[in-house]
Amino acid sequence: MAELTSMINIGKEMEKKLISIGISSSEELVQAGAKGAFLKLKERYPQVCLVHLYALEGAVQNMEFNSLTAEKKKELKEFSDFLKR
């Protein structure tokens, strides 16, 4: 199993948060998906924001989160906004 910090966009602080919600490897993050992981993070850490979701999606897709397509960012923003309701 690969460490979370071996993934792009995942630093030590994000790694700690992911481990606290039961995601302790890169394989587990890919399996959970960015939205699934973000949902769990949001429940435990209400302050996580859209940038965290972008970072997770970038990690799952193995790309810098700034390189996500406009369409993907729009989809993720709609998901994040939905969770705020």
Side-chain angles (χ1 to χ4, degrees):
M1 285 205 224
E3 290 185 19
L4 288 163
T5 54
S6 70
M7 300 178 84
I8 197 162
N9 305 321
I10 305 295
K12 285 290 186 188
E13 194 58 37
M14 179 65 88
E15 179 185 51
K16 287 178 192 174
K17 288 178 178 169
L18 288 168
I19 289 171
S20 77
I21 60 162
I23 297 173
S24 57
S25 70
S26 59
E27 293 87 355
E28 289 174 353
L29 177 55
V30 170
Q31 184 177 8
K35 290 179 182 177
F38 184 74
L39 182 59
K40 289 180 181 179
L41 283 171
K42 195 76 171 163
E43 289 173 357
R44 184 160 188 141
Y45 304 99
Q47 77 279 12
V48 295
C49 66
L50 181 60
V51 175
H52 293 91
L53 180 55
Y54 288 169
L56 291 167
E57 183 65 29
V60 168
Q61 291 192 32
N62 194 30
M63 65 171 49
E64 291 283 340
F65 72 89
N66 290 326
S67 298
L68 294 171
T69 65
E71 184 177 303
K72 178 54 79 173
K73 286 181 179 178
K74 181 177 184 272
E75 173 193 327
L76 295 172
K77 181 170 182 348
E78 288 171 358
F79 178 74
S80 177
D81 289 347
F82 175 78
L83 295 180
K84 292 177 185 177
R85 297 180 194 157

